[in-house]
Amino acid sequence: MEDVTDVAFRLLCKRFGADMVYTEFLSADALIRQVAGTTRKLEIDPEERPVAIQIYGREVEPMVEAARIAEAAGPEVLDLNFGCPVKRVAGKGAGSGMLRCPDQMLRIVEEIVKAVKIPVIAAGGIADGRGVAAAFALGAEGVQLGTRFICCTECTVHPNFKQAVLDARDRSTSVTGQRTGHPVRCLRNKLTAEFDKLDARLAPLEEIEKLGTGRLRSAVVDGDTDWGSLMSGQSAAMVNDILPARRIVERLFGEARDVLQKIQGCCDVDPE
């Protein structure tokens, strides 16, 4: 996460049991231009390994070049994030903006997989086996899911939060906090409507930040689905049940296997 997952934060995560950590969001263009503030984020402490470097962009060639730069920094994994809703990212066609151009997104994954030797993880909008299969078909060696695991048995969020995800539809999310520089995608409710009103009248940033203070806790701990910040991706529309994490993973990969076998069957050619 931008401005959050720096080296110190990642080391704390490792200390408390994280199996893998991710760097902040790195712009492909900024890496190529060697912008100091961006290249500094490539630094990796030996004690935080295994670590993934996360990059974003919208054009194939710059993304490939940035992937090579990131690989040279020595991470175990390269993460391609196509889910970030930040206006300055998505508005330029990168992050979640790539979901408008799936052909381009697929080309980026395919070309980066060919260009680097470390495993590539695809992230953004994946919640079922079809998304997993699509990523693997392009050469990715892993996928990153967030929203799907809100609705797993082990997740400790309030049951009301889980039910809100289950009730979500294709257009149930909204991006709040664009003007603060810390936007998040949430399920629409009274809180997101109030954020929209503040944005419409260009309210002071202090007023916007005050409205958002403590709202995630309200959703996660207290189960307030009206005024809590129900952080969720657009893939919430594909989440229909609550299962143990192990069962979710088994089903994801079972579905992906079925899809890939079907594709292989379609490609089989009778030599005669």
Side-chain angles (χ1 to χ4, degrees):
M1 181 179 289
E2 184 68 15
D3 296 327
V4 176
T5 54
D6 57 14
V7 173
F9 183 88
R10 299 196 301 264
L11 288 172
L12 280 173
C13 290
K14 293 294 290 188
R15 184 181 302 174
F16 284 97
D19 292 321
M20 173 174 279
V21 292
Y22 286 70
T23 66
E24 297 174 72
F25 214 31
L26 306 184
S27 162
D29 292 336
L31 283 176
I32 294 170
R33 297 198 311 270
Q34 297 185 329
V35 175
T38 299
T39 57
R40 191 182 306 120
K41 296 174 183 178
L42 290 172
E43 297 176 4
I44 297 173
D45 188 294
E47 294 186 14
E48 64 177 299
R49 296 184 180 280
V51 62
I53 289 180
Q54 188 175 192
I55 65 173
Y56 72 90
R58 66 174 183 175
E59 302 294 341
V60 177
E61 291 184 6
M63 280 289 282
V64 170
E65 185 176 350
R68 292 192 176 110
I69 294 171
E71 182 181 34
E76 280 71 29
V77 172
L78 179 66
D79 183 87
L80 309 181
N81 192 303
F82 299 120
C84 178
V86 176
K87 188 173 183 179
R88 64 182 174 82
V89 175
K92 296 178 180 179
S96 62
M98 289 300 304
L99 298 177
R100 302 191 192 99
C101 306
D103 292 345
Q104 181 81 338
M105 182 172 64
L106 299 180
R107 283 189 60 216
I108 287 173
V109 176
E110 185 176 15
E111 293 302 318
I112 288 179
V113 166
K114 292 190 293 186
V116 301
K117 296 181 180 179
I118 58 176
V120 172
I121 291 177
I126 300 173
D128 62 15
R130 294 170 299 176
V132 175
F136 287 168
L138 292 168
E141 295 189 39
V143 291
Q144 178 185 334
L145 286 75
T147 300
R148 180 62 188 95
F149 286 97
I150 293 175
C151 288
C152 75
T153 307
E154 295 87 344
C155 183
T156 58
V157 303
H158 196 282
N160 291 354
F161 194 154
K162 295 185 180 184
Q163 188 59 49
V165 173
L166 294 177
D167 293 339
R169 297 296 179 263
D170 291 345
R171 300 177 64 83
S172 294
T173 64
S174 175
V175 179
T176 63
Q178 296 277 16
R179 290 174 50 229
T180 68
H182 299 285
V184 293
R185 184 175 291 279
C186 306
L187 297 177
R188 295 180 186 274
N189 59 5
K190 292 179 180 179
L191 177 66
T192 62
E194 190 63 27
F195 272 121
D196 289 342
K197 292 178 183 178
L198 294 182
D199 282 337
R201 65 177 175 86
L202 300 179
L205 296 183
E206 293 79 8
E207 187 175 353
I208 296 174
E209 291 174 351
K210 182 179 180 180
L211 175 63
T213 301
R215 299 298 182 176
L216 181 58
R217 178 182 176 83
S218 295
V220 171
V221 178
D222 301 330
D224 186 347
T225 57
D226 287 329
W227 291 99
S229 182
L230 300 168
M231 294 187 183
S232 170
Q234 290 172 297
S235 60
M238 295 188 285
V239 179
N240 302 307
D241 51 19
I242 298 173
L243 297 169
R246 177 171 180 170
R247 179 70 186 99
I248 291 174
V249 173
E250 290 174 344
R251 188 164 74 180
L252 283 169
F253 284 88
E255 291 173 350
R257 190 178 302 111
D258 291 343
V259 171
L260 293 172
Q261 288 175 346
K262 183 177 180 180
I263 292 173
Q264 182 177 6
C266 292
C267 295
D268 287 342
V269 178
D270 189 338
E272 297 182 357

